[in-house]
């Protein structure tokens, strides 16, 4: 079993990465392999509504000059997908939104090719807006017929400066619980 995580933060090793790595560590303790992909510095544009993915149905986005097709391939190869974003003006980052829109459209064009994969949102926040980000990511999972795994609270960690989330005891416990719950679900689904 394998889980891939995507960090949609502009900071490759900031608070969102800390939260994602905490989840991944729990998965690894359960014998599940993991990868973390950083979207920081990757120029990703949004969906252009060209509908070439519906025409070609080759599991690829027609835009080929960025990392999105590689991200889609990693999603296809994984049993579980974690999408992480900090909260920017009460919403997810433009990089994460572009990934969601293009991977989601490509999945729709190819018979919901991410169907029944396990997904979870991970959000870092300074103060407010995190639940909107959490919901936006979960909308990607639900429209794709994926299975959302829960935790002991909403999957949110609080912190502003890089490293601050590590001092959010409840947020870190939530991430550890999320990792254990995701591992349990993946094992049940693959039994």
């Amino acid at each position: 079993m394998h889980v891939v995580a995507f960090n949609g933060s502009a900071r490759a090793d900031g608070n969102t990465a800390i939260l994602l790595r905490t989840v991944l560590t729990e998965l690894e303790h359960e014998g599940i392999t993991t990868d973390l992909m950083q979207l920081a510095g990757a120029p990703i544009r949004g969906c252009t509504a060209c509908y070439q993915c519906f025409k070609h149905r080759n599991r690829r986005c027609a835009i080929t000059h960025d990392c999105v097709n590689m991200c889609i391939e990693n999603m296809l190869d994984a049993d579980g997908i974690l999408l992480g974003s900090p909260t920017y003006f009460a919403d997810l980052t433009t990089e994460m939104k572009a990934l969601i829109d293009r991977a989601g459209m490509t999945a729709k064009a190819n018979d919901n090719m991410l169907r029944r994969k396990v997904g979870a949102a991970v959000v870092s926040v300074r103060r407010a807006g995190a639940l909107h980000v959490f919901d936006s990511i979960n909308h990607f999972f639900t429209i794709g017929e994926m299975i959302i795994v829960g935790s002991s609270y909403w999957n949110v960690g609080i912190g502003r400066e890089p490293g601050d989330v590590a001092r959010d005891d409840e947020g870190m416990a939530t991430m550890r619980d999320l990792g254990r719950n995701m591992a349990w679900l993946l094992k049940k689904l693959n039994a």
Side-chain angles (χ1 to χ4, degrees), residues 98-112:
L99 176 62
I100 285 172
D101 287 352
R102 288 176 52 205
M105 186 67 95
T106 302
K108 281 287 182 202
N110 290 275
D111 300 319
N112 275 350

Side-chain angles (χ1 to χ4, degrees), residues 49-63:
C50 69
Y51 290 96
Q52 292 300 302
C53 53
F54 282 89
K55 179 181 176 185
H56 298 292
R57 299 178 50 85
N58 61 359
R59 297 180 160 209
R60 299 184 56 77
C61 177
I63 301 169

Side-chain angles (χ1 to χ4, degrees), residues 135-156:
D135 289 343
S136 292
I137 294 171
N138 284 327
H139 294 157
F140 167 75
F141 297 137
T142 58
I143 199 169
E145 299 181 60
M146 295 175 64
I147 303 163
I148 298 173
V149 63
S151 187
S152 50
Y153 200 73
W154 293 284
N155 308 337
V156 174

